[in-house]
Amino acid sequence: MSSTLFERPPGARPVAIKILIAGGFGVGKTTLVSTASEIRPLRTEGARSEAGHALDDVTGMQPKESTTVAMDFGRITFESNIVLYLFGTPGQKRFWFMWEGLARGAVGAIVLADTRRLTDCFGAIDFFEQRRTPFVVAVNHFDGAPRYGEARVRVALDLDPGVPIVMCDVRRRESAVQVLIAIVEHAMRLKGSRRT
């Protein structure tokens, strides 16, 4: 079913798909939206406050002075007239109350993971599992971060066998786009299997 989604006849009506991008603080959600988006992305970045400095664990990260406080928004259109609307969620726990509204109408989600801080994506995984939202885990390769294979990541995150894991570098457009294709294909596969 997924291959037919991207192989649609010319002139077919556009298909709009809402995708959420979630994960821990500083994992690359804003970067993924910015890299993949064909439009200038909407960002709701704010300077980290002194209180935020005390709350946010930045172990293993480069210094980060801003953070997403509401959402990031971008759009990408595929030649087959499929339009993905990308919604990046805030990463800090104190902003998670916004996830519920952002998740409404989402076809699927991407959980970004950083191998230096894998536990930071547990909240996002739990959120999507509880709502039965199809998701993929995208392991963002940061410079100097340890590299682990899919099997080790799956065990460390206690993922069901059917959850796809994608290795990526969201600073590179082709890599970011492959992650987006992975979630659309996964969501369509699940939708097709639930019909039968």
Side-chain angles (χ1 to χ4, degrees), residues 12 14 26 35 41 44-45 57 65 86 95 97 111 125 139 194:
T35 302
T44 57
E45 293 273 312
D57 180 11
E65 294 305 318
L86 312 175
F95 297 124
F97 68 90
V111 176
I125 291 170
V139 179
R194 288 174 185 163

Side-chain angles (χ1 to χ4, degrees), residues 21-30 44-45 55-57 61 64 66-72 87-99 102 112 117 119-124:
I21 296 109
F25 173 62
V27 78
K29 298 176 297 294
T30 298
T44 57
E45 293 273 312
L55 292 171
D56 300 330
D57 180 11
M61 293 173 49
K64 186 169 168 62
S66 65
T67 186
T68 300
V69 293
M71 69 172 186
D72 296 313
F87 290 81
T89 64
Q92 294 101 318
K93 197 169 189 174
R94 62 187 176 277
F95 297 124
W96 286 3
F97 68 90
M98 289 185 270
W99 288 21
L102 288 172
L112 272 179
R117 301 173 292 126
T119 57
D120 287 0
C121 63
F122 283 150

Side-chain angles (χ1 to χ4, degrees), residues 67-131:
T67 186
T68 300
V69 293
M71 69 172 186
D72 296 313
F73 173 78
R75 182 188 75 209
I76 180 171
T77 304
F78 289 91
E79 288 180 22
S80 51
N81 224 6
I82 296 170
V83 182
L84 301 187
Y85 293 98
L86 312 175
F87 290 81
T89 64
Q92 294 101 318
K93 197 169 189 174
R94 62 187 176 277
F95 297 124
W96 286 3
F97 68 90
M98 289 185 270
W99 288 21
E100 198 67 54
L102 288 172
R104 260 187 229 115
V107 169
I110 297 162
V111 176
L112 272 179
D114 178 349
T115 58
R116 299 167 298 183
R117 301 173 292 126
L118 276 177
T119 57
D120 287 0
C121 63
F122 283 150
I125 291 170
D126 290 344
F127 181 87
F128 297 120
E129 283 180 341
Q130 289 170 9
R131 285 152 187 82

